[in-house]
């Protein structure tokens, strides 16, 4: 296997990543995926991750122009590095399309054993150390710098477990070119609160001694899925982008211990030296019976515990409450969704990327589009990208042609190279609630 490798200057003794060429994405028409192979292995084989981006050839003219204005005219390219949560991977096309409309390069990762990175025989989502994800984020950061240029400013965005991972990465690596961190309902503390985590830590570690992959007897009532997917009464048609039903994400003792260790680091205090934006819903509903009001609440995390833990991230933390938001705020009802993207755009424009702004008309058009999104293909794409009536589960012929015609050819596995802001933490008491994090 021939080709070039990439290695972060911060990776220390971490092995380099070998990257495949960009190829048509397996799920999202008009997108591309790149497979990253790491020299590290575990008891289930080689560590593999997947990076995802919009195919540059399929950008709409307004997005192309704003990207050109940022990158060439102002010589200040902007990018996003997105990290998903537990039982999750990147499929939130509406979020990518919003940022691309603003001229921002959007890159996402499917962490090892999640989504596109899952391989047969692996334990879905399993890790015993969240620090093991750092080389993956380093490699994606290096790829962004390589493609966008040395002047790029990167906003890291983490959702739920991905918010915890991104926070630890920012603390330990202090990664160059990453100028701000935005967290969407980050899993910074257990639903049982910090005291509950202390009480249950010996139990988790005791079960871990029986074997790290021992399944924890924790129940997921499925309420979060009911708030998301149209087939269950939610708003989104994203179910087509899921792994087969026989791939089951189950909380295991070794993974739970890794989460506890990461949350314990946060509780002791991190030193993230860039601005941090932490967004949560205004309420949690962690209960054992379904309530229609869950469609406007976080049914996964205790938002009070998250906000209390957030002040430990660093010296410059902004807390924002989004009324009526779901656990993944970007998938909330249109009013909460609009507020989240509006706040994120204005905050990042000031603290991540500098003073460059798009027009109010362009911002409104992008916000209108992201609020109208429901997961169907083509909501913000050109007619040439997706043919009418085409199977949304399969890349279109035009996508494959675009991938072949781009500067990287399509060879699978062919290796080459009014804001509600609280700046001091919410000190109200948290309640002890329910289970660990449901699917994100």
């Amino acid at each position: 296997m021939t080709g070039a490798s990439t290695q972060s200057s911060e990776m220390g003794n971490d092995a380099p990543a070998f990257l495949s060429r960009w190829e048509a994405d397996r799920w999202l028409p008009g997108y591309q995926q790149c497979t990253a192979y790491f020299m590290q292995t575990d008891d289930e084989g080689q560590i593999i991750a997947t990076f995802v981006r919009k195919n540059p050839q399929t950008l709409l003219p307004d997005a192309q122009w704003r990207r050109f204005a940022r990158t060439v005219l102002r010589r200040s390219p902007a990018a996003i590095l997105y990290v998903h949560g537990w039982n999750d991977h990147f499929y939130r096309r509406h979020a990518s399309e919003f940022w691309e409309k603003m001229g921002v390069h959007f890159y996402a990762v499917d962490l090892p054993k999640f989504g596109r990175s899952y391989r047969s025989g692996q334990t879905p989502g399993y890790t015993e150390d969240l620090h093991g994800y750092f080389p993956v984020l380093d490699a994606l950061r290096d790829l962004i710098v390589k493609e966008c240029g040395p002047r790029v400013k990167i906003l890291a965005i983490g959702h739920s477990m991905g918010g915890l991972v991104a926070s630890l990465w920012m603390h330990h690596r202090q990664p160059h070119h990453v100028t701000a961190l935005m967290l969407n309902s980050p899993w910074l503390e257990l639903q049982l609160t910090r005291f509950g985590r202390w009480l249950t830590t010996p139990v988790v570690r005791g079960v871990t001694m029986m074997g790290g992959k021992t399944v924890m007897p924790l129940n997921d009532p499925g309420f979060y899925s009911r708030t998301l997917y149209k087939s269950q009464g939610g708003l989104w048609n994203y179910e087509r982008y899921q792994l087969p039903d026989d791939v089951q994400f189950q909380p295991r003792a070794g993974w739970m211990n890794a989460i506890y260790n990461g949350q314990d680091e946060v509780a002791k205090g991190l030193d993230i030296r860039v601005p941090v934006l932490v967004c949560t819903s205004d309420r949690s509903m962690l209960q054992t019976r379904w309530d229609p009001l869950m469609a406007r609440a976080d049914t996964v995390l205790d938002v009070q515990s998250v906000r209390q833990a957030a002040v430990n991230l660093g010296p410059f933390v902004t807390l924002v409450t989004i009324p009526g938001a779901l656990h993944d705020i970007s998938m909330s009802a249109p009013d909460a969704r609009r507020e989240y993207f509006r706040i994120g755009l204005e905050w990042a424009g000031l603290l991540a990327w500098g003073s460059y702004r798009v027009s109010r008309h362009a911002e409104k058009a992008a916000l209108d589009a992201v609020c109208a999104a429901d997961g169907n293909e083509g909501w913000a794409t050109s007619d040439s990208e997706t043919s009418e009536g085409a199977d949304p589960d399969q890349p279109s012929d035009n996508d494959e042609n675009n991938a072949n015609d781009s500067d990287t050819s399509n060879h699978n596995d062919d290796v080459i190279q009014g804001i509600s802001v609280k700046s001091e933490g919410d000190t109200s008491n948290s309640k002890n609630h329910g289970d660990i994090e449901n699917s994100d």
Side-chain angles (χ1 to χ4, degrees):
M1 193 159 54
T2 61
S5 65
T6 64
Q7 184 171 14
S8 166
S9 59
E10 299 179 353
M11 288 178 70
N13 295 324
D14 294 323
F18 293 84
L19 306 182
S20 73
R21 291 182 170 88
W22 288 108
E23 61 178 354
D25 184 54
R26 64 179 288 188
W27 276 315
L28 297 174
Y31 282 70
Q32 296 175 319
Q33 67 179 59
C34 168
T35 305
Y37 302 89
F38 295 85
M39 298 301 293
Q40 297 98 322
T41 62
D42 62 14
D43 62 341
E44 296 179 340
Q46 185 178 22
I47 303 301
I48 297 172
T50 311
F51 306 145
V52 184
R53 71 174 185 182
K54 178 80 171 176
N55 185 341
Q57 303 265 338
T58 64
L59 289 173
L60 291 174
D62 57 346
Q64 291 178 346
W65 162 249
R66 292 190 189 99
R67 181 182 283 194
F68 175 80
R70 284 186 182 272
T71 304
V72 179
L73 299 184
R74 296 186 63 88
R75 296 199 301 166
S76 183
I80 283 174
L81 185 159
Y82 177 82
V83 189
H84 61 77
W86 164 250
N87 192 5
D88 198 9
H89 52 277
F90 176 68
Y91 56 83
R92 295 161 179 81
R93 180 190 184 110
H94 67 284
S96 169
E97 301 283 352
F98 173 81
W99 292 109
E100 291 284 0
K101 275 181 169 288
M102 299 295 97
V104 178
H105 303 252
F106 187 98
Y107 294 79
V109 59
D110 280 7
L111 294 171
K113 305 182 185 181
F114 289 87
R116 300 163 181 82
S117 304
Y118 173 78
R119 299 295 186 269
S120 178
Q122 292 181 334
T123 305
Y126 186 74
T127 185
E128 295 182 351
D129 184 0
L130 298 183
H131 294 197
Y133 294 134
F134 295 171
V136 175
L137 301 187
D138 288 339
L140 179 53
R141 184 275 319 277
D142 288 347
L143 178 62
I144 294 172
V145 174
K146 178 181 177 181
E147 295 193 345
C148 299
R151 299 176 65 93
V152 67
K153 295 179 179 179
I154 302 172
L155 169 65
I157 299 180
H159 168 56
S160 201
M161 188 193 84
L164 176 59
V165 171
S167 298
L168 296 174
W169 178 59
M170 294 293 295
H171 167 70
H172 287 279
R173 297 295 216 208
Q174 302 288 340
H176 61 75
H177 288 87
V178 182
T179 55
L181 174 65
M182 179 174 169
L183 301 177
N184 170 0
S185 302
W187 198 14
L188 303 179
E189 187 52 270
L190 196 66
Q191 290 86 326
L192 300 173
T193 74
R194 184 178 181 181
F195 181 68
R197 177 167 49 81
W198 286 345
L199 289 179
T200 56
T201 293
V203 176
V204 171
R205 291 182 176 170
V207 177
T208 302
M209 294 178 65
M210 300 169 56
K213 295 178 184 177
T214 303
V215 176
M216 300 291 291
L218 300 170
N219 178 51
D220 175 6
F223 296 153
Y224 184 46
S225 295
R226 290 182 66 173
T227 67
L228 290 180
Y229 301 125
K230 275 193 174 180
S231 65
Q232 301 181 48
L235 298 174
W236 298 93
N237 282 320
Y238 276 141
E239 287 168 294
R240 61 173 69 92
Y241 304 133
Q242 306 304 312
L243 290 168
D245 291 339
D246 60 347
V247 180
Q248 297 292 322
F249 281 77
Q250 296 177 304
R252 299 176 186 272
W255 168 81
M256 195 73 232
N257 189 56
I259 297 295
Y260 274 36
N261 290 338
Q263 292 173 341
D264 187 57
E265 285 193 69
V266 173
K268 292 176 180 177
L270 303 184
D271 184 23
I272 299 176
R273 300 176 187 175
V274 300
V276 182
L277 175 65
V278 179
C279 299
T280 69
S281 179
D282 62 331
R283 64 184 301 197
S284 293
M285 294 186 70
L286 307 177
Q287 57 198 53
T288 58
R289 299 187 66 178
W290 169 255
D291 187 321
L293 293 177
M294 289 178 171
R296 296 189 62 84
D298 190 323
T299 59
V300 176
L301 301 182
D302 184 333
V303 297
Q304 298 285 8
S305 296
V306 171
R307 288 198 287 265
Q308 290 173 0
V311 297
N312 298 322
L313 295 176
F316 190 179
V317 177
T318 303
L319 302 180
V320 174
T321 299
I322 308 292
L326 294 176
H327 176 54
D328 185 345
I329 305 173
S330 76
M331 299 180 72
S332 301
D335 59 332
R337 198 186 320 163
R338 176 182 287 270
E339 189 73 350
Y340 169 72
F341 281 100
R342 182 187 67 81
I343 291 171
L345 177 63
E346 295 184 0
W347 182 87
L350 290 173
L351 298 177
W353 301 316
S355 59
Y356 174 75
R357 292 181 60 92
V358 300
S359 69
R360 287 295 181 184
H361 173 76
E363 179 179 328
K364 181 180 183 301
L367 288 170
D368 288 345
V370 80
C371 288
D374 63 2
N376 287 319
E377 250 55 27
W379 70 271
T381 59
S382 64
D383 292 339
S384 63
E385 181 184 341
T386 306
S387 301
E388 184 175 355
D391 182 357
D393 293 336
Q394 299 296 330
S396 68
D397 292 340
N398 192 64
D399 292 329
E400 296 179 1
N401 291 336
N402 283 334
N404 285 325
D405 292 341
S406 65
D407 56 351
T408 55
S409 54
N410 181 2
H411 291 289
N412 186 22
D413 294 342
D414 188 12
V415 175
I416 63 166
Q417 59 122 99
I419 303 177
S420 172
V421 176
K422 301 177 183 178
S423 59
E424 295 296 331
D426 192 323
T427 57
S428 57
N429 292 328
S430 302
K431 297 180 180 179
N432 292 348
H433 283 296
D435 304 322
I436 67 156
E437 181 182 14
N438 301 356
S439 64
D440 287 337

